[in-house]
Amino acid sequence: MPVPIPSLPLPGKNDGGHDSRFFTTQKKGEMHELRMELHSTDRNVKVDAVKKVIASMTVGKDVSTLFTDVLNCVQTSNIELKKLVYLYLINYAKSQPELTLLAVNTFVKDASDPNPLIRALAVRTMGCIRVDRITEYLCDPLSRALRDEDPYVRKTAAVCVAKLYDIAPELVQERGFLDTLHDLISDSNPSVVANGVAALSEIAETSGKDVMKISTSVLQKLLAALNECTEWGQVFILDSLAKYTPADAREAEGIIERVTPRLQHANSAVVMSAVKVILSYMELMGSASSDTIRNLTRKLAPPLVTLLNSEPEIQYVALRNINLIVQKRPTILENEIKVFFCKYNDPIYVKMEKLEIIIKLVSEKNIDQVLLELKEYATEVDVDFVRRSVSAIGRCAVKLERAAEKCIGVLLELIQTKVNYVVQESVIVIKDIFRRYPNRYESIIATLCDNLDTLDEPQAKASMVWIIGEYAERIDNADELLDTFLETFEEEDPAVQLQLLTATVKCFLKNPEETQDMVQRVLDLATEESDNPDLRDRGFIYWRLLSTDPEAAKLVVLGDKPVIEDDTFKLEPNLLNTLIGQIATLSSIYHKPPEAFVVRTSGRGVMNLGVPDSSDVIEEGDEEDYENDEADQEDPVDLLDMGGMGLGNGAVGGGGGGGNDLFGSSGPQVQQEARISKVCPAEKSGGIDIYGGFRQVNGNVLMEFEFQNISCTTPVSNLAIQLNKNAFGLSPVNQQIICNPPINVGSSGKATVQLVANRSMLSPMVAGQPASPQIQIAIKNMATSQVFYFAANFNLEALCSPGGQLDRTTFIETWKNIDDGKELYSTISDLPSTDIDQIQAKFEAYNIFFIARRQALEDQEVVYFSMKTLTGMDFLVELTFKKGINACKICIKTENTAYGHLAKIAIENLLRF
């Protein structure tokens, strides 16, 4: 819930209504002049002086030196001046907590003022000052305000309880404020009821507990208040109703009947909240109420359509919500597809969303209309929109089997336009149509081959190459067509190279006499000339298949492929149900559950990189909170920890101890070391060279920094750090970095930041792509206010859990259960040592646990290890050493294939140092 800030006073008579004059540039010595004006006996001069201070504060100037002077102005009966002073106190209370205590007596006195506006202002300001020591003085005035005779004071106090809970939840429970909030739901004033509901909802989200507890009597009071309170009060009440589970279908129907009039409300937020309640309850009504559900379906369509006549921004939000609604209940808007046709003046983001909904609503009844519309869009000037429109035609073909031929006809017409990007997008979607309906529309391949020269984008090229390889036996000159691509094989995108390799092998298996030289050339290019490991691996696999068993190669390469499915309704049912319950929130716009993009923690000790109560972002569009309270963070303890279970049965050489000491006292003691490297040069970070690296100490993941002050004239003493979402879910426990002593020019200093793994900080993974080791970091120099951005590669061994050992039986079972296709191999040479005892001791320091060793051949020894990350990912390791050779073959097995290459790199690095 946003923190309400006392509004700026209206222009008074003394300023002629031109408060913009207070934002003029400060002249030299103005601080002294302001201080003199703040002590003036003339009330108008004093008000103007505080306005100047507020204006300077608003544009980012530091006016904290005037704190005591402004604080002295709080002793006044003038409401305008009091509001200004309170606004100043809220902003600077965090940096001057001791001085803020001097204003406590004024707050307490104002909380008993005869004027209800002043009473409410005092309580609200004390709630906004997020300083622990203020809270003890807040409780008594807040308790009185919650029972105040004036409804304005009561509704202000209700919101203040939620703020106090964010700072001191135990105090709220001890003083019985939660019970008082429940009493406010029965208040005679609807605005008080709405604020009470809002406060309880906020507390419920913060604590994760159901503190709302809607009973039958409370339900009736909420429904009664719904008709009388303000529009935002209605939103709070409707959101609470959406979380309530009715006792039966009859109760659900009764609530829906009371909520339905809100569908005609002028405020779009009220409309969407009402839609959320109705959709949630429709699920509970069951098949017995089919007539009622049908009537409700008819009632929901008009308000949703009306939202599309609003401003573009509201349209976009409405469309994102409608996208979810039509996935859940497509019948609601099945006859309204025309309202989603794009207008010429729609912004591009609205057009894109409309296209998505058109595809979801398209059916055999309206496909002719839709195809005409999409064909028209394909002649627009916006390239991205045209591409999406052509893609939409292909998706209609994949979705509707009977309409596929019509869609292909439209695509062929578009190809004839010879517009480069239209042709390329058409080729991409035709490949999907071929995969959806194999051996049905291959007659159009000749038309595609005629447009081969226009293809210059990787995805289009890869699609065309796939078509040539898949239908080589039907294309007379397939080998010649592939040969034209092979001339530039080394310059092509990896996706095109992979398709060329596969297509050439297909061509060879179908026509070996004429393509033997070509397949040999491609295999040479893939295995000897390429640096891409995926391409090399695939090349070696094909080479071995072709050289050992061509018939097996045919079964593998030319085997029947699964038909692709229509992905129109692509959200998982459980996720869709979750998002339906989040309609009219950010979740419904991002199409992600709240925990995927919000870290909710206690507000104490927050260290932000920017304005108080806000959060800087590393990448535009990301909206994450980075806070340092571990209590609400995802627990990093390994749930699969085997505890102190020993390996036993002779599985461990040298002691067979418990989980805390695998090797007893034998072997050399090795400490984890952070591999420090320069992560940000001085020219990018305000004259400071930044070196960084990661390691783990006592189960805590640490990032160690060294700051070298090259040319920053201001000593480096106080920094703030923030991490972007990353593949490991890491975020700082504390965002503040204190350099003590401060680092002057020419000197250096070190600092350590503890990191914690948090699921909500995980970056989205691209299917089929390996996890990135890169962590994007922002650091702000608090002295200069400069923010610098850089990235550092994380080493996975720093994330290994101390409780990650497996016993021998579990290891063997896990090894067998993991598919062989999830193995990663590499060989490294020039090792500093191949002494297995030394390697074992080194690995133990990094929480990589020895399992067993065996003699494979007369001159080969194989060693097995297990490692588990603090986030619960298991990796099984096999190392093979050959006597007399200073090298090692590595094999990694894991179900977490996206992270397998990072585990392999970690093992390689440990073996090398």
Side-chain angles (χ1 to χ4, degrees):
M1 182 188 299
V3 176
I5 296 178
S7 55
L8 283 170
L10 294 170
K13 293 178 183 177
N14 58 315
D15 57 32
H18 297 290
D19 279 357
S20 59
R21 62 196 171 92
F22 296 119
F23 290 87
T24 54
T25 307
Q26 278 189 337
K27 57 183 181 286
K28 198 170 182 180
E30 190 168 6
M31 283 296 179
H32 177 70
E33 186 180 316
L34 282 172
R35 187 171 279 112
M36 298 298 294
E37 290 177 0
L38 289 169
H39 289 281
S40 171
T41 54
D42 188 320
R43 183 176 63 83
N44 291 336
V45 172
K46 191 177 288 190
V47 169
D48 279 359
V50 178
K51 284 184 178 179
K52 290 176 188 175
V53 172
I54 297 292
S56 298
M57 181 182 77
T58 304
V59 297
K61 293 175 183 172
D62 184 9
V63 286
S64 58
T65 54
L66 298 172
F67 191 91
T68 52
D69 305 287
V70 175
L71 188 59
N72 288 332
C73 299
V74 79
Q75 299 287 353
T76 177
S77 58
N78 182 274
I79 294 182
E80 180 186 17
L81 181 56
K82 196 176 285 288
K83 280 185 178 180
L84 289 166
V85 173
Y86 279 178
L87 184 60
Y88 177 90
L89 290 177
I90 289 170
N91 194 64
Y92 281 112
K94 281 184 184 177
S95 58
Q96 308 273 1
E98 297 297 329
L99 293 175
T100 308
L101 290 172
L102 300 176
V104 164
N105 288 335
T106 304
F107 291 140
V108 174
K109 179 183 173 185
D110 285 352
S112 303
D113 195 275
N115 188 333
L117 291 176
I118 292 181
R119 294 202 299 275
L121 179 63
V123 171
R124 180 171 59 177
T125 306
M126 289 180 79
C128 289
I129 296 176
R130 302 174 69 82
V131 176
D132 287 340
R133 293 182 63 185
I134 290 285
T135 57
E136 57 190 271
Y137 299 99
L138 170 63
C139 291
D140 289 335
L142 179 58
S143 185
R144 290 195 300 272
L146 287 166
R147 294 174 174 81
D148 197 280
E149 60 184 17
D150 192 281
Y152 180 74
V153 180
R154 294 200 301 277
K155 76 170 191 172
T156 304
V159 176
C160 191
V161 173
K163 293 176 188 169
L164 179 60
Y165 189 91
D166 205 28
I167 304 169
E170 303 86 3
L171 196 59
V172 170
Q173 291 171 341
E174 286 173 15
R175 298 296 294 258
F177 289 144
L178 288 180
D179 295 330
T180 311
L181 281 180
H182 283 110
D183 295 340
L184 290 183
I185 294 179
S186 305
D187 198 276
S188 57
N189 186 286
S191 294
V192 177
V193 174
N195 278 24
V197 170
L200 285 169
S201 299
E202 178 71 14
I203 291 170
E205 288 184 25
T206 303
S207 64
K209 302 172 184 174
D210 181 19
V211 296
M212 192 70 192
K213 297 175 184 173
I214 299 178
S215 62
T216 306
S217 59
V218 170
L219 176 65
Q220 295 307 316
K221 289 165 186 170
L222 292 179
L223 291 171
L226 193 58
N227 297 322
E228 301 175 33
C229 62
T230 64
E231 51 196 19
W232 296 112
Q234 291 180 39
V235 170
F236 288 128
I237 293 174
L238 288 168
D239 286 348
S240 296
L241 291 174
K243 295 171 186 172
Y244 172 67
T245 304
D248 51 37
R250 185 176 177 182
E251 186 183 18
E253 196 173 333
I255 296 171
I256 288 175
E257 192 175 332
R258 302 280 292 273
V259 168
T260 302
R262 305 275 79 75
L263 293 174
Q264 276 75 50
H265 202 282
N267 187 312
S268 53
V270 176
V271 174
M272 292 310 303
S273 293
V275 169
K276 172 166 61 177
V277 173
I278 294 170
L279 283 172
S280 300
Y281 288 5
M282 282 168 71
E283 288 296 301
L284 303 170
M285 292 171 70
S287 56
S289 309
S290 56
D291 291 340
T292 308
I293 290 176
R294 199 159 34 248
N295 290 333
L296 287 171
T297 299
R298 282 200 297 270
K299 289 180 181 178
L300 285 173
L304 293 174
V305 170
T306 304
L307 290 174
L308 299 181
N309 296 322
S310 309
E311 296 83 359
E313 295 79 9
I314 293 178
Q315 281 189 57
Y316 177 77
V317 173
L319 287 165
R320 292 294 285 173
N321 282 274
I322 290 169
N323 194 320
L324 296 172
I325 293 167
V326 297
Q327 290 186 57
K328 185 68 178 174
R329 293 191 176 271
T331 53
I332 291 176
L333 293 163
E334 63 182 354
N335 299 318
E336 305 289 347
I337 195 167
K338 279 189 175 180
V339 302
F340 298 103
F341 287 173
C342 301
K343 299 174 185 173
Y344 75 95
N345 58 347
D346 279 340
I348 186 64
Y349 55 87
V350 170
K351 287 181 176 180
M352 295 298 198
E353 282 306 311
K354 283 185 173 181
L355 274 180
E356 284 296 314
I357 295 170
I358 288 172
I359 295 165
K360 288 177 171 61
L361 293 178
V362 71
S363 65
E364 291 175 9
K365 295 179 186 176
N366 55 34
I367 184 64
D368 293 330
Q369 266 183 312
V370 169
L371 285 177
L372 282 172
E373 193 73 13
L374 293 176
K375 186 178 175 183
E376 187 69 26
Y377 299 161
T379 61
E380 294 274 349
V381 293
D382 190 296
V383 175
D384 289 335
F385 181 54
V386 171
R387 284 180 171 279
R388 191 70 72 88
S389 302
V390 175
S391 176
I393 296 171
R395 289 173 65 183
C396 288
V398 170
K399 180 181 179 182
L400 303 172
E401 185 173 354
R402 292 185 182 178
E405 195 163 342
K406 292 179 183 177
C407 297
I408 287 175
V410 174
L411 289 171
L412 290 175
E413 288 180 40
L414 293 173
I415 288 174
Q416 297 307 321
T417 64
K418 302 294 182 182
V419 177
N420 180 275
Y421 50 86
V422 173
V423 173
Q424 303 205 75
E425 196 66 35
S426 299
V427 170
I428 293 167
V429 298
I430 286 172
K431 182 202 78 171
D432 289 337
I433 295 172
F434 283 174
R435 292 181 63 195
R436 177 72 170 136
Y437 310 111
N439 303 315
R440 283 175 57 178
Y441 300 108
E442 285 70 28
S443 56
I444 66 171
I445 291 175
T447 306
L448 301 180
C449 292
D450 291 341
N451 292 276
L452 217 56
D453 295 339
T454 62
L455 306 181
D456 55 19
E457 293 182 3
Q459 197 176 356
K461 281 185 177 181
S463 298
M464 191 67 222
V465 169
W466 181 89
I467 292 170
I468 295 170
E470 190 69 16
Y471 300 101
E473 71 278 10
R474 304 187 189 190
I475 305 173
D476 295 335
N477 59 339
D479 54 336
E480 294 175 13
L481 295 176
L482 287 177
D483 208 41
T484 59
F485 287 105
L486 291 177
E487 291 172 4
T488 56
F489 182 88
E490 294 178 354
E491 288 79 40
E492 296 290 359
D493 186 87
V496 180
Q497 291 178 334
L498 286 165
Q499 285 294 353
L500 275 171
L501 173 59
T502 302
T504 307
V505 172
K506 286 179 181 177
C507 212
F508 170 73
L509 291 170
K510 293 174 182 179
N511 188 9
E513 291 82 10
E514 297 181 13
T515 55
Q516 187 166 354
D517 291 341
M518 185 168 69
V519 79
Q520 185 64 54
R521 179 154 60 100
V522 173
L523 290 172
D524 286 338
L525 287 169
T527 56
E528 295 177 8
E529 304 295 331
S530 175
D531 293 331
N532 186 323
D534 294 332
L535 186 63
R536 279 205 315 271
D537 287 351
R538 189 180 292 190
F540 281 125
I541 289 169
Y542 284 154
W543 201 325
R544 287 167 187 160
L545 273 173
L546 293 172
S547 59
T548 56
D549 192 346
E551 290 305 314
K554 283 187 179 181
L555 291 173
V556 172
V557 181
L558 302 180
D560 292 336
K561 297 165 187 64
V563 174
I564 64 168
E565 297 296 326
D566 170 31
D567 66 346
T568 300
F569 299 101
K570 56 189 175 184
L571 288 177
E572 291 290 330
N574 290 338
L575 175 59
L576 180 58
N577 288 334
T578 301
L579 294 178
I580 288 291
Q582 296 289 337
I583 280 177
T585 67
L586 277 177
S587 286
S588 64
I589 299 172
Y590 292 153
H591 288 187
K592 295 178 181 177
E595 58 270 17
F597 59 90
V598 173
V599 181
R600 179 175 290 281
T601 65
S602 167
R604 288 167 288 174
V606 176
M607 181 66 194
N608 289 320
L609 295 187
V611 182
D613 294 327
S614 69
S615 184
D616 283 353
V617 290
I618 296 175
E619 190 172 308
E620 188 176 352
D622 286 346
E623 296 185 23
E624 290 91 20
D625 290 328
Y626 298 86
E627 309 201 2
N628 69 334
D629 193 339
E630 287 184 76
D632 288 5
Q633 301 237 3
E634 197 76 331
D635 190 353
V637 175
D638 183 5
L639 297 179
L640 300 177
D641 185 2
M642 301 300 291
M645 185 182 293
L647 297 179
N649 297 327
V652 179
N660 294 326
D661 185 5
L662 288 178
F663 301 99
S665 58
S666 64
Q669 295 296 312
V670 182
Q671 297 293 326
Q672 280 203 25
E673 295 179 13
R675 287 193 290 279
I676 303 294
S677 61
K678 184 185 284 190
V679 291
C680 193
E683 54 268 21
K684 290 186 178 180
S685 49
I688 308 164
D689 271 340
I690 303 177
Y691 295 80
F694 301 89
R695 71 171 176 144
Q696 188 184 135
V697 178
N698 298 326
N700 297 317
V701 181
L702 307 177
M703 184 171 191
E704 299 191 343
F705 285 107
E706 182 178 338
F707 302 101
Q708 295 184 358
N709 191 338
I710 307 299
S711 59
C712 181
T713 54
T714 307
V716 182
S717 59
N718 191 357
L719 306 169
I721 184 171
Q722 183 169 294
L723 270 59
N724 206 352
K725 284 190 173 184
N726 53 78
F728 314 97
L730 293 173
S731 60
V733 169
N734 191 333
Q735 291 182 300
Q736 192 169 20
I737 304 175
I738 302 296
C739 300
N740 191 13
I743 306 167
N744 297 306
V745 175
S747 60
S748 63
K750 294 183 178 181
T752 300
V753 176
Q754 185 179 341
L755 305 177
V756 64
N758 189 321
R759 189 171 300 160
S760 53
M761 280 295 291
L762 283 169
S763 58
M765 298 291 291
V766 180
Q769 294 294 316
S772 170
Q774 196 176 78
I775 295 180
Q776 295 175 340
I777 302 169
I779 287 185
K780 181 173 184 178
N781 188 337
M782 303 305 283
T784 63
S785 296
Q786 183 177 0
V787 181
F788 26 95
Y789 305 93
F790 57 92
N793 285 340
F794 183 75
N795 38 296
L796 191 68
E797 63 267 28
L799 197 63
C800 290
S801 169
Q805 71 180 82
L806 300 177
D807 61 45
R808 189 175 190 180
T809 305
T810 306
F811 182 93
I812 293 170
E813 289 175 358
T814 308
W815 184 279
K816 289 178 180 177
N817 290 333
I818 298 175
D819 188 82
D820 289 345
K822 296 177 180 176
E823 291 182 355
L824 288 90
Y825 291 95
S826 71
T827 302
I828 58 171
S829 54
D830 299 325
L831 298 179
S833 171
T834 56
D835 185 306
I836 293 176
D837 289 334
Q838 287 185 15
I839 292 170
Q840 189 175 328
K842 185 194 301 181
F843 278 21
E844 182 194 8
Y846 287 85
N847 301 318
I848 301 172
F849 298 101
F850 176 81
I851 301 297
R853 58 196 286 184
R854 65 181 176 85
Q855 201 75 27
L857 298 171
E858 193 173 317
D859 59 346
Q860 281 189 6
E861 193 163 10
V862 182
V863 195
Y864 296 93
F865 296 88
S866 71
M867 54 193 282
K868 171 181 270 181
T869 65
L870 292 168
T871 52
M873 295 186 292
D874 282 300
F875 300 91
L876 310 183
V877 183
E878 178 190 73
L879 304 181
T880 305
F881 298 92
K882 192 170 184 179
K883 287 182 182 177
I885 297 178
N886 197 21
C888 173
K889 181 181 177 184
I890 302 170
C891 172
I892 305 281
K893 256 193 165 187
T894 179
E895 293 288 358
N896 303 284
T897 50
Y899 293 83
H901 73 294
L902 296 180
K904 181 164 68 69
I905 291 169
I907 297 296
E908 289 173 353
N909 289 336
L910 290 177
L911 288 170
R912 282 197 175 104
F913 92 85

